[in-house]
Amino acid sequence: MSTIDLIEAAAVRLHGHTRETPILTSPFLDELAGRRVLVKPECLQHTGSFKFRGAWSAISALDAEARKRGVIAYSSGNHAQGVAHAATLHSVQSVIIMPSDAPALKIKNTRALGAEVILYDRDNESREEIGEALSRERGLTLIRPYDEPQVIAGQGTVGLEVARQARDLGVTDADVLVCCGGGGLTSGVALALEKHAPGLRARPCEPEGFDDVKRSLASGSVQTNNAAAGNICDAILTPRPGGITFPILRRLCGPGLAVSEDEALHAMALAFLRLKVVLEPGGAVSLASALFRKDEIQGDAVIVVASGGNVDPQVFARALEFPT
Amino acid sequence: MSTIDLIEAAAVRLHGHTRETPILTSPFLDELAGRRVLVKPECLQHTGSFKFRGAWSAISALDAEARKRGVIAYSSGNHAQGVAHAATLHSVQSVIIMPSDAPALKIKNTRALGAEVILYDRDNESREEIGEALSRERGLTLIRPYDEPQVIAGQGTVGLEVARQARDLGVTDADVLVCCGGGGLTSGVALALEKHAPGLRARPCEPEGFDDVKRSLASGSVQTNNAAAGNICDAILTPRPGGITFPILRRLCGPGLAVSEDEALHAMALAFLRLKVVLEPGGAVSLASALFRKDEIQGDAVIVVASGGNVDPQVFARALEFPT
């Protein structure tokens, strides 16, 4: 059950612990997009992505016994860092299962944020089996990255902020573009907007070739991607929409949008130049959609949730070579 | 006359037009600095630097007659963009005198923000003479970059925000590190802190070799830099502290701090990695001071005003090569 009530309750628990990210704008982006562009940079959230919200929501909802036992998550990226940091701030032990070939910096960061990192061999071991064994042995609570009501509730607080910030800026009728992997952020935002800003419509944004949500929305049933990896937008490559998230997306979202790798990199360069924020490729597909799919968007203004900024310097340097 | 009254009046005029920039933090920066580090990223301000505040303050203080005639400024950088954008938003015409060898992108941006750009030959012409002639002919009001009470008042609103944000975070006793060129931002911040957060102490930060303010504070009288250019921190290379700003700095600031070009670039890399914001070298000397001059800083926390992010991709790519 994922509802607006869970989101509003999460907002109370998150208050003072997560950042209310601002809305950034630039007349140069407005001109490129052909309409006002309001960017909500969740890269400025703790641990560099919106994932910290869902992690805080899930851990703060645990009872005292579960907190004593600890939590576990599988992730090589933003969810890992969000869970590790939120757990440490709650004095809760966390175990993160990461592939042994994950970037050394991400493993180092996750450990530095207080997690016990357990590496597994992606080719010969199953992270689910390792995780389930550990969870049984130690009684750890599994925090799923998106198909988890309290995680969706935490991500939904982005939508509560968007609703209020858009109203303050006089925008009551617009598309809200959201970077979409499994759909935790998009479904949470869509639920929040349904009640608090019914003129705003969430629309999932994905990389071309990994547009399972776009195709699922178009067909009305869950579609799967052909490939599992091999795109620069690593943070949002999921095989199919979630079992909890998809019914919400189907009920509330407008059509999906998909952009190329080059368009994501180009949007990162423009965010660098015009907004002075660092986006990762998977966090920039929403801005890329606003700039390069403008004929598929309605209205005088568009709201862009830029979901994260955890990008290697080498990849960012590639983005900087795009013309601005 | 530059006083807290002017700053508080400017805050009313700026409200809703400038961004209240957030406070960003990272446990990784805390560890490097040996204390809590609270960063106020003014790179997220309109036009990418705090200069927009002073420009808005000065232009919004003009009477109707002066507004009809227009404004003029000399600058090749952040002040130019701040004045151009603030003037356009007031429907006031602006003329910006820029050197003909200024980066093409800055000239293009300043024009795109609505200014009439007049180029001069840095070697054979005097921008002051051109400016004075134009000012006489057209009755344009000159907006000086720092030695101007209404500009200092606008920059001082950064200090009002720092005072409130620090109090909300439980920090009442700390050094506040401020990137310092002519001293407009530093003196405005110092005046605001004097009344609203007397336990916070402004400290100017400069590039080594261009530490005129540090040496002036140490000696008690105005000192001049030997060189006028030739440092990557181009935004804050001024020959000497201002006639209006220096008495304020002398009365209210703690000792100055100075960092190398490499330390500024290294701080930019850490802001990229840990805060997800884009800083320019001159906007990063305060963060560099917090990280690399920690023995010269007092207290359990330090506040860093990171003043701007208008940096060329090539220079930013250099910063990304620093180890993080």
Side-chain angles (χ1 to χ4, degrees):
Chain A
M1 180 204 60
S2 280
T3 65
I4 184 66
D5 294 341
L6 279 186
I7 297 173
E8 290 174 354
V12 174
R13 298 199 304 281
L14 267 60
H15 183 73
H17 302 288
T18 52
R19 287 191 189 117
E20 177 170 323
T21 47
I23 295 286
L24 303 180
T25 57
S26 160
F28 295 97
L29 296 183
D30 294 353
E31 192 180 339
L32 283 172
R35 51 174 63 87
R36 281 175 81 188
V37 181
L38 313 181
V39 179
K40 186 162 178 70
E42 276 294 301
C43 54
L44 302 181
Q45 191 52 261
H46 296 290
T47 70
S49 88
F50 73 96
K51 291 284 190 181
F52 182 76
R53 296 179 187 255
W56 187 280
S57 171
I59 293 168
S60 63
L62 297 177
D63 63 26
E65 276 306 306
R67 289 188 192 201
K68 262 187 222 158
R69 292 192 301 266
V71 298
I72 187 168
Y74 322 123
S75 164
S76 59
N78 291 335
H79 182 57
Q81 294 186 58
V83 170
H85 193 43
T88 299
L89 293 172
H90 279 89
S91 303
V92 167
Q93 290 200 313
S94 64
V95 174
I96 312 286
I97 316 268
M98 299 181 82
S100 52
D101 60 350
L105 182 67
K106 287 195 176 171
I107 296 174
K108 190 178 156 198
N109 283 349
T110 307
R111 285 200 171 118
L113 289 168
E116 177 187 350
V117 172
I118 294 182
L119 300 175
Y120 74 101
D121 175 352
R122 208 196 279 260
D123 295 327
N124 299 305
E125 295 181 287
S126 151
R127 64 181 194 179
E128 285 77 11
E129 283 174 22
I130 297 171
E132 275 166 31
L134 268 172
S135 178
R136 262 197 316 274
E137 280 167 33
R138 301 206 213 163
L140 305 173
T141 302
L142 174 64
I143 302 183
R144 291 179 188 82
Y146 50 87
D147 247 353
E148 168 63 50
Q150 289 296 1
V151 168
I152 295 171
Q155 323 305 29
T157 61
V158 172
L160 297 181
E161 294 175 17
V162 164
R164 189 174 58 251
Q165 290 169 320
R167 194 168 51 236
D168 289 349
L169 291 164
V171 175
T172 54
D173 185 3
D175 284 353
V176 178
L177 310 187
V178 187
C179 304
C180 190
L185 177 61
T186 313
S187 60
V189 167
L191 285 167
L193 297 179
E194 181 188 24
K195 174 170 172 187
H196 292 279
L200 304 183
R201 178 175 67 154
R203 297 187 60 186
C205 300
E206 296 169 294
E208 287 172 356
F210 296 83
D211 58 348
D212 50 295
V213 171
K214 180 183 179 189
R215 289 182 292 108
S216 299
L217 289 173
S219 70
S221 64
V222 169
Q223 306 291 316
T224 302
N225 293 321
N226 290 324
N231 185 289
I232 202 170
C233 301
D234 57 295
I236 57 171
L237 303 184
T238 40
R240 69 190 67 79
I244 298 179
T245 57
F246 183 60
I248 303 168
L249 301 178
R250 191 171 48 186
R251 183 168 70 82
L252 296 174
C253 287
L257 298 150
V259 297
S260 69
E261 292 183 290
D262 275 1
E263 287 168 332
L265 288 165
H266 195 170
M268 289 165 63
L270 288 162
F272 159 84
L273 186 70
R274 300 306 182 189
L275 302 176
K276 312 304 175 190
V277 293
V278 174
L279 300 184
E280 62 187 281
V285 295
S286 51
L287 180 58
S289 298
L291 299 173
F292 306 122
R293 293 294 176 279
K294 50 191 178 183
D295 293 345
E296 301 178 33
I297 296 169
Q298 314 273 313
D300 299 333
V302 63
I303 298 168
V304 170
V305 178
S307 54
N310 290 314
V311 55
D312 289 335
Q314 296 80 352
V315 174
F316 201 77
R318 269 181 67 192
L320 291 179
E321 289 170 13
F322 276 76
T324 46
Chain B
M1 182 202 60
S2 280
T3 66
I4 184 66
D5 294 343
L6 279 186
I7 296 173
E8 291 173 353
V12 174
R13 298 198 305 282
L14 268 59
H15 183 74
H17 303 288
T18 52
R19 286 191 190 117
E20 177 171 322
T21 48
I23 294 286
L24 303 180
T25 56
S26 160
F28 295 97
L29 295 183
D30 295 352
E31 192 180 340
L32 283 173
R35 50 174 63 86
R36 281 176 81 187
V37 181
L38 313 181
V39 178
K40 187 164 178 69
E42 276 294 301
C43 53
L44 303 180
Q45 191 52 261
H46 296 291
T47 70
S49 87
F50 73 96
K51 291 284 191 182
F52 181 76
R53 295 179 187 255
W56 187 279
S57 171
I59 292 168
S60 63
L62 296 177
D63 64 25
E65 277 306 308
R67 290 188 193 201
K68 259 187 226 162
R69 291 191 301 267
V71 299
I72 187 168
Y74 321 123
S75 165
S76 57
N78 291 335
H79 182 57
Q81 294 187 56
V83 170
H85 194 44
T88 299
L89 292 172
H90 279 89
S91 304
V92 167
Q93 290 200 314
S94 63
V95 175
I96 311 287
I97 315 267
M98 300 180 82
S100 52
D101 60 351
L105 182 66
K106 287 194 176 172
I107 295 173
K108 190 178 156 199
N109 283 349
T110 306
R111 285 199 170 118
L113 289 168
E116 177 187 350
V117 173
I118 295 183
L119 300 174
Y120 75 101
D121 175 352
R122 208 196 280 260
D123 294 327
N124 299 305
E125 293 181 288
S126 152
R127 65 181 192 177
E128 285 77 10
E129 282 175 20
I130 297 172
E132 274 167 30
L134 269 172
S135 178
R136 261 196 317 275
E137 281 167 30
R138 302 206 212 163
L140 305 173
T141 302
L142 174 64
I143 302 184
R144 291 178 188 83
Y146 49 87
D147 248 353
E148 169 62 51
Q150 289 295 3
V151 168
I152 295 171
Q155 323 305 29
T157 62
V158 172
L160 297 181
E161 293 176 16
V162 164
R164 188 174 59 251
Q165 291 169 319
R167 193 167 52 235
D168 289 349
L169 292 164
V171 175
T172 54
D173 185 3
D175 284 353
V176 179
L177 310 187
V178 188
C179 304
C180 189
L185 176 60
T186 314
S187 61
V189 167
L191 284 167
L193 298 179
E194 181 188 24
K195 173 170 172 187
H196 292 279
L200 303 182
R201 179 174 67 154
R203 298 187 60 184
C205 301
E206 296 168 294
E208 287 171 356
F210 295 84
D211 58 347
D212 51 295
V213 171
K214 179 183 178 189
R215 290 183 290 108
S216 298
L217 289 174
S219 70
S221 64
V222 168
Q223 306 291 316
T224 301
N225 293 320
N226 290 324
N231 186 288
I232 201 170
C233 301
D234 57 295
I236 57 172
L237 303 184
T238 40
R240 68 189 71 77
I244 297 179
T245 59
F246 184 60
I248 302 168
L249 301 177
R250 191 171 48 188
R251 183 167 71 80
L252 295 174
C253 287
L257 297 150
V259 297
S260 70
E261 292 183 291
D262 275 359
E263 287 168 331
L265 288 166
H266 195 171
M268 288 165 64
L270 288 162
F272 160 84
L273 186 69
R274 301 306 184 188
L275 303 176
K276 313 302 175 191
V277 293
V278 175
L279 300 183
E280 61 187 282
V285 295
S286 51
L287 180 58
S289 298
L291 299 174
F292 306 121
R293 292 294 176 278
K294 51 190 177 183
D295 293 345
E296 300 177 35
I297 295 169
Q298 314 271 313
D300 299 333
V302 63
I303 297 167
V304 169
V305 178
S307 54
N310 290 315
V311 54
D312 289 336
Q314 296 81 352
V315 173
F316 200 75
R318 269 181 68 191
L320 290 180
E321 289 170 12
F322 276 76
T324 45

